[in-house]
């Protein structure tokens, strides 16, 4: 009974990590909606102001595996609090930025803190919850991220419309400070993972069990998050949905994301069949994205399913990485988080170039579905290749086993 009570108390601590993830989700996506007002306020162009999204993404992608590897012997609690402090400082500097140069530096600082926090918070959540509740813990952290996108981004844009974009950034800074205080006081000490030698960190970049999982995450982000950036022109092209009527469709996608994040964890804990879950989720993503042009203005159900699959996808993926390479799980998770942000940047960039080259927006979902299908093929082929990436299954008594994939 004492062990069960302690485990439940540990799960409650995961909610502190979720508050930080909520702030990350808000900060990562709200800036795209503020580009025109930021550009106007700083006297620059939207394209130049858009580089603040690029530097945030790149700093996020680079910092996560770098810090997770170099400081793998440091206790996670110290790094998590420090990363959130850097993230909060970066957002405060963003709100105060007098010009574009300072703004870009501030966004890089915020992105670096966000990348480290995101990787370490998922690993800490898994460690706090234990094997049997690991899925729920990861889902809470991922649910915080999706909730920040769904609830926080519209509120942030609304606040900017009534006040200024700087007020929105102060809101993000304030939420980060609240999460920082809560974690500094309430996050329990977590034993540090064994220090990972430099050779082992570099080996993660060529590990044949880790790379396919990270590759699937990358392709999934290219397809899902890259397409989301251009959802408005896609709906206008395929269903005649005007710019002013896009908001309900964005909410449908976001609500699906929250549902997917919440449901994925219990499914993983209950079934333990993470390989099968990834197969089903990616297959669903391919179909949901591919039918968008056919549904047009009636795309609400597909958007809900798309959002649910896109956000649920990462919970079993994180499970697989922790099981495949538990001895350097933080490094593997950091690589996976970097792949997500790089995939989002690549997807948005390639889609923008395609539209500029004359591709009809209506065709973007089919291109995105093809990329997601490539991710599914990689997932299936890696799992069947030599048995190294077979089905990772959670045993009833805790612990992990590998088995061959089933049809």
């Amino acid at each position: 009974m004492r062990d069960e009570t302690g485990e439940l108390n540990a799960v409650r601590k995961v909610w502190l990590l979720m508050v930080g993830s909520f702030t990350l989700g808000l900060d990562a996506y709200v800036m795209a909606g503020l580009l025109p007002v930021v550009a106007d306020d700083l006297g620059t162009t939207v394209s130049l102001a858009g580089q603040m999204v690029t530097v945030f993404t790149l700093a996020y992608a680079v910092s996560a595996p770098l810090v997770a590897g170099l400081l793998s012997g440091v206790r996670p609690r110290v790094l998590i609090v420090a990363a959130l402090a850097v993230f909060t400082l970066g957002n405060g500097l963003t709100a105060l930025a007098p010009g574009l140069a300072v703004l870009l530096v501030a966004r890089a600082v915020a992105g670096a803190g966000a990348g480290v926090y995101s990787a370490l918070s998922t690993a800490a959540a898994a460690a706090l919850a234990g094997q049997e509740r690991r899925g729920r813990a990861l889902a809470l952290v991922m649910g915080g991220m999706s909730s920040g996108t769904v609830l926080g981004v519209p509120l942030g844009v609304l606040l900017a419309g009534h006040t200024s974009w700087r007020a929105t950034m102060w809101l993000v800074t304030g939420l980060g400070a609240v999460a920082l205080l809560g974690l500094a006081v309430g996050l329990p000490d977590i034993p540090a993972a064994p220090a990972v030698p430099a050779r082992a960190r570099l080996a993660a970049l060529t590990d044949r069990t880790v790379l396919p999982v990270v590759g699937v995450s990358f392709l999934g982000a290219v397809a899902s998050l890259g397409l989301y950036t251009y959802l408005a022109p896609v709906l206008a092209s395929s269903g005649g949905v005007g710019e002013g009527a896009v908001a309900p469709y964005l909410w449908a996608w976001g609500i699906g994301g929250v549902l997917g994040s919440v449901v994925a964890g219990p499914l993983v804990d209950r079934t333990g069949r993470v390989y099968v879950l990834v197969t089903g989720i990616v297959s669903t993503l391919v179909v949901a994205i591919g039918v968008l042009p056919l549904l047009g203005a009636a795309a609400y159900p597909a958007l809900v399913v798309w959002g649910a699959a896109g956000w649920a996808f990462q919970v079993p993926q994180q499970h697989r990485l922790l099981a495949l390479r538990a001895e350097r799980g933080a490094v593997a998770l950091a690589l996976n988080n970097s792949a997500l942000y790089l995939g989002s940047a690549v997807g948005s960039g390639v889609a923008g170039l395609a539209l500029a080259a004359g591709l009809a927006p209506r065709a973007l979902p089919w291109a995105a579905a093809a990329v997601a299908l490539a991710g599914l093929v990689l997932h299936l082929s890696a799992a069947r290749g030599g048995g190294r990436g077979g089905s990772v299954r959670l045993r009833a008594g805790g612990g992990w086993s590998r088995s061959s994939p089933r049809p």
Side-chain angles (χ1 to χ4, degrees):
M1 175 67 71
R2 184 174 300 173
D3 290 342
E4 183 178 348
T5 302
E7 188 175 359
L8 290 175
N9 287 335
V11 172
R12 293 190 186 102
K13 302 295 184 183
V14 177
W15 284 85
L16 294 172
L17 297 169
M18 190 189 75
V19 176
S21 295
F22 177 92
T23 311
L24 259 65
L26 168 58
D27 190 39
Y29 290 95
V30 75
M31 296 308 296
L34 300 179
L35 290 183
V37 292
V38 172
D40 183 65
D41 181 53
L42 298 182
T44 186
T45 64
V46 172
S47 60
L48 285 176
Q51 297 309 307
M52 65 181 179
V53 177
T54 303
V55 297
F56 181 95
T57 302
L58 291 177
Y60 185 112
V62 171
S63 67
L66 181 64
V67 173
L70 293 177
L71 302 179
S72 57
V74 181
R75 289 188 178 273
R77 181 179 182 277
V78 175
L79 290 179
I80 288 171
V81 172
L84 198 56
V86 171
F87 170 76
T88 303
L89 173 63
N91 284 306
L93 290 175
T94 300
L96 294 170
L100 183 61
V102 176
L103 179 66
L104 294 178
V105 172
R107 297 315 296 154
V109 171
V116 176
Y117 178 85
S118 180
L120 294 179
S121 64
T122 51
L128 284 171
Q131 293 280 12
E132 294 183 357
R133 298 178 184 271
R134 177 181 284 178
R136 290 175 174 83
L138 292 175
L140 275 176
V141 176
M142 187 61 64
M145 194 84 164
S146 61
S147 298
T149 304
V150 175
L151 303 176
V153 170
L155 292 177
V157 173
L158 182 65
L159 176 62
H162 285 80
T163 54
S164 72
W165 67 273
R166 297 181 189 274
T168 297
M169 295 315 302
W170 282 122
L171 171 65
V172 177
T173 304
L175 289 174
V178 170
L180 174 61
L181 179 62
L183 288 171
V185 173
L187 185 65
D189 203 16
I190 303 166
V196 182
R199 180 177 296 181
R201 292 197 301 270
L202 293 175
L205 297 174
T206 57
D207 192 318
R208 287 182 293 173
T209 57
V210 171
L211 275 187
V213 180
V214 173
V216 173
S217 293
F218 173 79
L219 292 174
V222 170
S224 183
L225 298 177
L227 178 63
Y228 176 73
T229 305
Y230 296 97
L231 182 58
V234 167
L235 291 173
S237 175
S238 60
V241 178
E243 183 177 345
V246 171
Y249 295 91
L250 298 177
W251 280 96
W253 183 86
I255 290 170
V258 173
L259 292 175
S261 300
V262 171
V263 170
L267 275 178
V268 170
D269 289 338
R270 214 169 279 173
T271 66
R273 302 305 298 267
V274 291
Y275 165 80
V276 175
L277 285 174
V278 171
T279 303
I281 289 172
V282 180
S283 300
T284 302
L285 185 65
V286 172
V287 175
I289 291 177
V291 300
L292 280 176
L294 305 178
L295 296 176
Y300 290 108
L303 287 167
V304 172
V305 174
W306 166 19
W311 283 99
F313 174 47
Q314 283 309 308
V315 175
Q317 285 288 88
Q318 290 164 348
H319 262 273
R320 296 183 71 203
L321 290 171
L322 287 172
L324 290 172
R325 283 292 177 261
E327 72 275 11
R328 54 173 182 259
V331 177
L333 285 177
L335 285 173
N336 192 63
N337 285 337
S338 295
L340 286 177
Y341 266 72
L342 286 175
S344 175
V346 169
S348 299
V350 172
L353 290 174
L355 292 178
L359 182 71
R362 188 172 187 269
L364 277 183
W366 292 324
V371 173
L373 182 60
L376 178 61
V377 172
L378 174 61
H379 167 69
L380 295 174
S381 61
R384 297 179 186 278
R388 289 180 60 84
S391 176
V392 182
R393 183 171 185 172
L394 179 63
R395 297 192 188 103
W400 294 86
S401 65
R402 285 195 190 94
S403 60
S404 298
R406 296 181 181 181

